[in-house]
Amino acid sequence: KFSSIHTIMVDERPKVSEEYAIVLDYLKHGYAHGKSQSPLAQAIGTEYFQLLELVPKKEVFLQPLQKVYIGNGKREEIHHTKGRIELNKLTTTARQELDHLLSDIIDENEQRFVDFFNKSQPLSMRMHTLELLPGLGKKHMWVILEERQIKPFESFQDVKERVKLLPDPKMAIIKRILKELEGQEKYRIFTK
């Protein structure tokens, strides 16, 4: 089956699974309406923002906002990844934590996201990847392209200072990630 969703890679990160995730909510007895009473955690990957269900090891109690290793090596807290979940399947607690957590992840990896402004490319003759960010139109795009030729952007603050009247770049990225997690976007910039 051919998918109409495209992933746009704007950096050189290899296409791999998540190594780490941050717990959004821990359900000690599983879902209230589920058949299984086994512990379960809802989490978000730190690299590709995959929403995941994680099964902790026996006798492990997870805390919201706890960072856990989910890669292929030896795992301390997580037995296995049950699978991906959709944004609308998150618990109320998980959904409330998501916006704040995205902000924290972006702050910790600011240069990666600033590089989006430095390295993004056109999608077609009529559209640029920059225009996929909420609130960013052609005028902003042209200023960003001109400014990055003079000197690459060094921080979100640098982007804000050099591109007048630009919506907050960090908030635009958070909004775009949330739209991609909703699954309604044709192009994926930040999620896998």
Side-chain angles (χ1 to χ4, degrees):
K1 183 176 174 182
F2 181 75
S3 173
S4 64
I5 295 178
H6 309 283
T7 301
I8 303 167
M9 298 301 291
V10 294
D11 56 21
E12 290 76 38
R13 293 178 298 153
K15 295 181 181 181
V16 294
S17 298
E18 300 281 5
E19 290 285 314
Y20 290 91
I22 299 176
V23 175
L24 295 167
D25 194 8
Y26 177 63
L27 306 162
K28 184 177 178 182
H29 301 291
Y31 294 114
H33 302 292
K35 295 176 186 175
S36 173
Q37 297 293 311
S38 301
L40 190 67
Q42 292 185 338
I44 186 167
T46 59
E47 187 74 16
Y48 298 105
F49 303 106
Q50 295 176 357
L51 295 174
L52 304 165
E53 287 181 324
L54 307 175
V55 177
K57 290 185 174 183
K58 287 185 180 180
E59 307 303 320
V60 171
F61 297 93
L62 300 172
Q63 297 294 321
L65 305 181
Q66 179 179 349
K67 188 174 186 177
V68 293
Y69 177 72
I70 59 171
N72 292 328
K74 182 173 173 24
R75 300 177 187 159
E76 298 295 323
E77 301 96 356
I78 303 302
H79 184 271
H80 68 276
T81 300
K82 188 173 180 182
R84 294 184 193 176
I85 56 173
E86 296 176 13
L87 183 65
N88 63 359
K89 301 287 186 195
L90 291 180
T91 64
T92 303
T93 301
R95 186 61 187 92
Q96 289 172 345
E97 294 293 345
L98 186 60
D99 290 2
H100 303 293
L101 194 53
L102 287 174
S103 179
D104 291 346
I105 292 170
I106 290 169
D107 285 343
E108 289 175 17
N109 301 282
E110 182 174 347
Q111 191 58 53
R112 172 182 154 200
F113 296 98
V114 170
D115 282 346
F116 169 76
F117 291 92
N118 289 324
K119 297 179 180 179
S120 59
Q121 298 296 314
L123 291 170
S124 67
M125 295 292 286
R126 295 179 182 253
M127 184 152 201
H128 197 281
T129 307
L130 288 167
E131 294 176 88
L132 297 177
L133 290 180
L136 202 144
K138 292 228 183 269
K139 289 181 181 180
H140 290 125
M141 178 204 64
W142 286 114
V143 174
I144 290 169
L145 294 177
E146 289 170 8
E147 286 292 327
R148 76 184 193 185
Q149 283 186 340
I150 297 168
K151 178 184 170 196
F153 296 106
E154 295 176 3
S155 66
F156 287 135
Q157 186 62 37
D158 189 25
V159 175
K160 285 193 269 190
E161 288 173 2
R162 291 167 53 193
V163 183
K164 303 299 180 215
L165 303 176
L166 179 74
D168 181 10
K170 179 179 158 185
M171 285 308 302
I173 289 171
I174 290 171
K175 288 177 183 177
R176 177 65 197 193
I177 291 169
L178 289 171
K179 287 178 93 173
E180 289 180 26
L181 290 175
E182 289 171 359
Q184 302 300 318
E185 296 299 320
K186 179 178 179 181
Y187 296 102
R188 292 179 179 260
I189 307 170
F190 303 110
T191 65
K192 181 176 177 183

